[in-house]
């Protein structure tokens, strides 16, 4: 498994001093090379210094993600954004997904807001030991054998809900998300889809080749909706 995945953690306390221009330029270069899950979906990423919304995290910088409203939009943002989450961790910077925070500054993009991410120098430890992850055991979120499932298990998710399920068979991984719950509201249901994109990127990191497709004969899973299948 990728070493950064094995030790990354969400950082919620930051040194509030702004990062130097050199690192922010490096970040912009990284943003230009991101690989989307769905290349046909338009999206935007902007750097701001202030956000608004409940459960905010104080950080020197934030990424604000927008996307055209289209099937797979949230999964696409999760897949793209997790590339940056791991980039920060590998670069010695902390990051944390923020489900309801929006930019408090004027931004250029007119695309609908999806999610934000805090980032900066961590005020405490950047990484954690593998044993410190608090996650469901694999047998509660998957069936079948595929070493990439452990990387998906370690992926961050909204309130650590891990609202996904995976079925591994014949070198494929069928992916499912918990069915929408009207009591939890539109925001939480949207975050579940972002979470799927995050987990898919963790699977992609461990794949020699990665394709995410829709299969007509994918098995069903009670209480979950089929999201797609990872193939070689």
């Amino acid at each position: 498994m990728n070493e950064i995945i094995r030790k990354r953690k969400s950082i919620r306390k930051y040194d509030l001093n702004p990062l130097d221009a050199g690192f922010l330029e490096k970040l912009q270069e990284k943003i230009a090379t991101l690989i989307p899950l769905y290349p046909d979906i338009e999206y935007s990423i902007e750097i701001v210094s202030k956000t608004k919304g409940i459960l905010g995290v104080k950080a020197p910088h934030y990424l604000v993600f927008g996307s055209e409203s289209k099937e797979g939009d949230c999964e696409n943002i999760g897949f793209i954004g997790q590339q940056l989450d791991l980039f920060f961790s590998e670069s010695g910077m902390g990051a944390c997904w923020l489900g309801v925070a929006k930019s408090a500054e004027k931004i250029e993009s007119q695309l609908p807001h999806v999610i934000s991410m805090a980032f900066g120098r961590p005020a405490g430890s950047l990484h954690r030991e593998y044993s410190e992850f608090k996650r469901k055991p694999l047998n509660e979120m998957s069936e079948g054998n595929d070493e990439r499932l452990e990387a998906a298990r370690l992926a961050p998710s909204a309130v650590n809900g891990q609202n996904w399920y995976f079925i591994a068979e014949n070198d494929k991984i069928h992916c499912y998300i918990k069915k929408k719950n009207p009591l939890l509201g539109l925001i939480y249901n949207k975050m579940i889809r972002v979470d799927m994109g995050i987990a898919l990127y963790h699977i992609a990191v461990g794949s020699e080749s990665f394709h995410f497709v829709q299969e007509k004969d994918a098995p069903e899973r009670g209480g979950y909706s089929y999201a797609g299948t990872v193939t070689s």
Side-chain angles (χ1 to χ4, degrees):
M1 192 196 311
N2 177 280
E3 185 61 27
I4 296 299
I5 290 176
R6 285 181 60 91
K7 63 184 183 181
R8 69 148 299 281
K9 70 176 182 179
S10 298
I11 303 300
R12 293 177 174 83
K13 292 185 178 180
Y14 294 87
D15 174 343
L16 298 181
N17 291 305
L19 299 179
D20 62 78
F23 181 82
L24 294 177
E25 183 178 346
K26 182 180 177 182
L27 172 58
Q28 292 285 17
E29 292 172 355
K30 177 64 178 179
I31 290 173
T33 66
L34 297 175
I35 301 171
L37 181 64
Y38 296 113
D40 61 329
I41 299 180
E42 183 182 358
Y43 69 90
S44 62
I45 304 174
E46 295 188 53
I47 302 172
V48 302
S49 58
K50 294 181 181 180
T51 59
K52 57 185 178 181
I54 61 173
L55 302 177
V57 170
K58 291 185 178 180
H61 307 282
Y62 304 85
L63 295 176
V64 178
F65 297 86
S67 174
E68 65 173 315
S69 297
K70 197 172 183 179
E71 185 70 26
D73 52 359
C74 294
E75 293 86 344
N76 194 52
I77 290 297
F79 192 86
I80 291 165
Q82 193 57 15
Q83 293 172 57
L84 294 171
D85 187 3
L86 297 183
F87 163 78
F88 287 129
S89 187
E90 189 173 20
S91 302
M93 301 295 171
C96 180
W97 287 96
L98 303 176
V100 295
K102 295 184 178 181
S103 175
E105 304 171 4
K106 185 176 181 180
I107 57 177
E108 294 183 6
S109 175
Q110 299 299 311
L111 296 172
H113 175 265
V114 178
I115 198 168
S116 299
M117 180 184 289
F119 71 95
R121 295 184 189 87
S125 61
L126 174 61
H127 296 129
R128 58 180 152 187
E129 297 296 325
Y130 183 65
S131 60
E132 294 179 305
F133 278 89
K134 296 179 180 180
R135 298 288 190 270
K136 297 176 183 177
L138 267 180
N139 61 9
E140 290 185 13
M141 53 171 283
S142 67
E143 56 190 82
N145 297 312
D146 191 304
E147 61 183 14
R148 294 172 294 177
L149 293 177
E150 178 62 9
R153 188 182 77 89
L154 298 182
S157 59
V159 297
N160 203 24
Q162 295 181 272
N163 293 295
W164 46 56
Y165 198 85
F166 305 98
I167 298 177
E169 63 173 11
N170 302 324
D171 296 324
K172 296 180 179 181
I173 301 176
H174 305 295
C175 306
Y176 306 81
I177 55 176
K178 214 166 233 186
K179 288 186 176 178
K180 292 181 179 179
N181 186 332
L183 297 178
L184 293 178
L186 293 175
I187 293 178
Y188 187 69
N189 288 315
K190 179 177 71 173
M191 292 306 101
I192 290 174
R193 294 170 52 215
V194 172
D195 294 344
M196 173 54 71
I198 293 171
L200 283 171
Y201 185 68
H202 278 207
I203 292 173
V205 170
S207 302
E208 291 186 10
S209 63
F210 177 89
H211 303 280
F212 191 60
V213 300
Q214 300 293 313
E215 292 199 338
K216 294 181 180 179
D217 57 350
E220 295 184 359
R221 174 68 187 176
Y224 291 80
S225 299
Y226 174 65
T229 298
V230 174
T231 66
S232 299

